[in-house]
Amino acid sequence: QKEVEQNSGPLSVPEGAIASLNCTYSDRGSQSFFWYRQYSGKSPELIMSIYSNGDKEDGRFTAQLNKASQYVSLLIRDSQPSDSATYLCAVNDNYGQNFVFGPGTRLSVLP
Amino acid sequence: EPEVTQTPSHQVTQMGQEVILRCVPISNHLYFYWYRQILGQKVEFLVSFYNNEISEKSEIFDDQFSVERPDGSNFTLKIRSTKLEDSAMYFCASSVGPGGLPEKLFFGSGTQLSVL
């Protein structure tokens, strides 16, 4: 059973701070990793994808991947109240089409 | 920007009834999916569909469920004899298809199914 784990939160950070979201996964064969943002009552929206070890930056977002530790993280710099949402980590093994989602971390950015 | 379209946005049904949830994936996408999310819980994979057949399904996707691509644009999820525990948000998603790295999922806005 492939598992993706995240702290459920809520994670509260003040506006302008860095929010750090973490995810671990059980399947060492996992090859592709995604971060989705989900506002309450809405569908998941893709923020970042990362496939190789290291950091990948896109605007205020940085994804970090460490396959040896089976760990992926998302940093949000200069957090804004509009970033308040649940962040979902998703993992794919590159062989199937089953993207496994973690339970999500609820982020609250306080003005 | 192209998007995945789902109808209806809300569906209320009586226990034991059949429902059909409809989706129009992005036109050049080849993989189609159904996920569900029970309120307050995680997004759960139900089924993936490629080349007019199921490519993968989860334990949740039992004989109660079926999928179909009746024409070139629609992708449907049928739930027979609905149960109370089928109440959830059902998301359709699509991706471009095989091309080396797994493609990104694009989600529809969901159908909120309420079974009474």
Side-chain angles (χ1 to χ4, degrees):
Chain A
Q1 180 78 359
K2 300 172 185 176
E3 297 288 340
V4 177
E5 301 292 338
Q6 297 179 255
N7 290 327
S8 60
L11 173 66
S12 295
V13 300
E15 184 174 356
I18 296 175
S20 177
L21 306 164
N22 304 316
C23 170
T24 58
Y25 56 94
S26 63
D27 182 10
R28 282 197 170 273
S30 300
Q31 297 290 324
S32 306
F33 308 87
F34 305 85
W35 283 100
Y36 285 82
R37 177 175 62 200
Q38 187 178 30
Y39 292 112
S40 181
K42 302 294 185 182
S43 59
E45 173 193 9
L46 181 67
I47 299 174
M48 294 279 292
S49 59
I50 186 166
Y51 304 100
S52 359
N53 281 327
D55 294 2
K56 179 181 177 183
E57 188 174 316
D58 184 359
R60 296 187 295 114
F61 300 98
T62 299
Q64 299 174 317
L65 175 61
N66 184 327
K67 289 185 180 179
S69 301
Q70 294 173 243
Y71 173 90
V72 58
S73 67
L74 179 70
L75 300 178
I76 306 174
R77 288 181 298 281
D78 188 24
S79 296
Q80 301 297 308
S82 58
D83 294 327
S84 298
T86 297
Y87 288 80
L88 311 177
C89 175
V91 173
N92 186 285
D93 64 8
N94 202 37
Y95 297 103
Q97 287 299 317
N98 178 357
F99 292 75
V100 180
F101 283 81
T105 297
R106 190 154 53 93
L107 172 67
S108 178
V109 180
L110 307 173
Chain B
E1 184 174 336
E3 59 181 22
V4 177
T5 305
Q6 286 187 247
T7 55
S9 57
H10 293 85
Q11 175 85 52
V12 180
T13 190
Q14 296 291 324
M15 190 170 56
Q17 295 297 303
E18 174 183 287
V19 294
I20 297 176
L21 309 183
R22 303 181 192 278
C23 170
V24 178
I26 295 173
S27 61
N28 65 331
H29 285 189
L30 301 178
Y31 272 95
F32 315 122
Y33 310 80
W34 284 101
Y35 284 81
R36 79 172 186 189
Q37 188 175 31
I38 296 170
L39 185 63
Q41 298 187 25
K42 66 178 181 180
V43 175
E44 298 177 292
F45 170 76
L46 294 178
V47 65
S48 61
F49 192 87
Y50 172 70
N51 200 26
N52 285 320
E53 61 182 23
I54 291 174
S55 56
E56 205 164 333
K57 62 182 181 179
S58 71
E59 292 177 352
I60 302 169
F61 193 88
D62 59 19
D63 292 343
Q64 182 194 8
F65 295 88
S66 62
V67 289
E68 192 177 34
R69 187 156 166 82
D71 53 43
S73 59
N74 290 285
F75 179 53
T76 63
L77 174 69
K78 181 188 291 186
I79 309 175
R80 287 181 283 275
S81 188
T82 50
K83 301 177 246 185
L84 295 176
E85 54 264 38
D86 294 328
S87 296
M89 179 74 89
Y90 287 80
F91 292 111
C92 176
S94 67
S95 64
V96 173
L101 292 168
E103 299 295 337
K104 302 162 189 176
L105 285 178
F106 293 84
F107 283 86
S109 55
T111 294
Q112 180 63 57
L113 176 64
S114 298
V115 182
L116 305 179

